[in-house]
Amino acid sequence: MSAADVDVEEVSAANTSYYEAMERGDFEEVAGLWLAPTDLGVDEEYHDPADTGVVSCVHPGWPVLTGRGEVLRSYALIMANTDYIQFFLTDVHVSVTGNTAIVSCTENILSGGPAPEEGEELGPLVGQLVVATNVFRRTPEGWKLWSHHASPVLATSEEDDEEDDEGGADGAGGGDQGVGPDDGTLA
C-alpha cells in the first residue's frame, strides 16, 4: 500500500472517529480529536490567533466559531442538549496533500432531544441533511481536526418536485429558480 493510500485511510479513520464520538456524546474524545496549539509545538499559554493551526467551526445555522475554546464550548452545548444523534455519512471524499487533508461528505443526521414528558425515553426524532467539509492536519499524534464547516441542504417540497417534473409552475419549462443575480430576489 502506498503512503498516499495510508494517509487516506488514516484520515478516513480520524473522520469516522469524530462522528462516532459525537454519537456517543463523548466530549473528551471529541476534544482530543481537535487540533491543539501543543500539537504544533506552539506555547498553549500564549497562542496568537494569527498562528497557524487556529481551529474554526461552523455548525448549521451558527456563526463562525474560532479558537479551541469557542469550538469546544459549542460541542459541550450540543451534547448537553441532544439526547440522541446518529450520523449516516454518504458522498464521502478524502483528499490529502502534504500535511493537510480535506474530507467532504453528506451528513444524514437523525437526532432527538429530551423527552417532552416524564417516562418517555426520547423526544421526537428529527432528520436533517447537511453537507460538511472537515479539514485535518497531520500531527505527531496523528490527524487532528482543524476545521469543520457544515451547512444544511435545503429540501424541496413534493409540490416543488411536481412543478419541476411538469417544467415549472406555468408548465412552460425552463426558468431558473434561486436568487436573481442583480437584485437578490428569487428568480
Side-chain angles (χ1 to χ4, degrees):
M1 184 179 295
S2 72
D5 291 335
V6 170
D7 284 346
V8 168
E9 282 192 14
E10 289 175 352
V11 170
S12 294
N15 194 64
T16 299
S17 293
Y18 164 70
Y19 287 103
E20 288 175 350
M22 285 291 298
E23 289 179 345
R24 286 191 308 278
D26 187 338
F27 178 78
E28 294 302 319
E29 185 174 348
V30 169
L33 293 167
W34 276 89
L35 189 64
T38 54
D39 292 324
L40 303 173
V42 175
D43 182 1
E44 194 140 11
E45 292 298 314
Y46 175 74
H47 184 61
D48 185 339
D51 286 337
T52 57
V54 173
V55 298
S56 65
C57 181
V58 177
H59 299 295
W62 290 45
V64 176
L65 305 172
T66 55
R68 190 169 164 79
E70 276 190 23
V71 169
L72 294 181
R73 270 191 295 281
S74 73
Y75 283 96
L77 285 169
I78 290 168
M79 290 177 183
N81 292 291
T82 306
D83 285 351
Y84 175 83
I85 190 163
Q86 189 171 11
F87 295 90
F88 300 94
L89 301 182
T90 56
D91 310 315
V92 179
H93 178 76
V94 178
S95 177
V96 179
T97 302
N99 293 325
T100 304
I102 298 173
V103 179
S104 60
C105 61
T106 301
E107 301 174 353
N108 301 272
I109 305 170
L110 185 60
S111 63
E117 296 180 22
E118 278 190 51
E120 292 186 33
E121 289 184 22
L122 189 63
L125 294 176
V126 177
Q128 185 177 15
L129 193 62
V130 172
V131 290
T133 302
N134 297 321
V135 181
F136 290 86
R137 180 141 178 200
R138 188 192 317 264
T139 73
E141 289 78 38
W143 292 93
K144 298 288 185 106
L145 198 52
W146 191 359
S147 182
H148 170 75
H149 186 126
S151 298
V153 175
L154 300 178
T156 59
S157 68
E158 288 182 31
E159 188 176 290
D160 289 343
D161 291 342
E162 288 172 10
E163 288 177 5
D164 289 345
D165 291 343
E166 295 171 6
D170 62 2
D176 292 335
Q177 294 181 5
V179 177
D182 299 325
D183 59 8
T185 60
L186 291 179

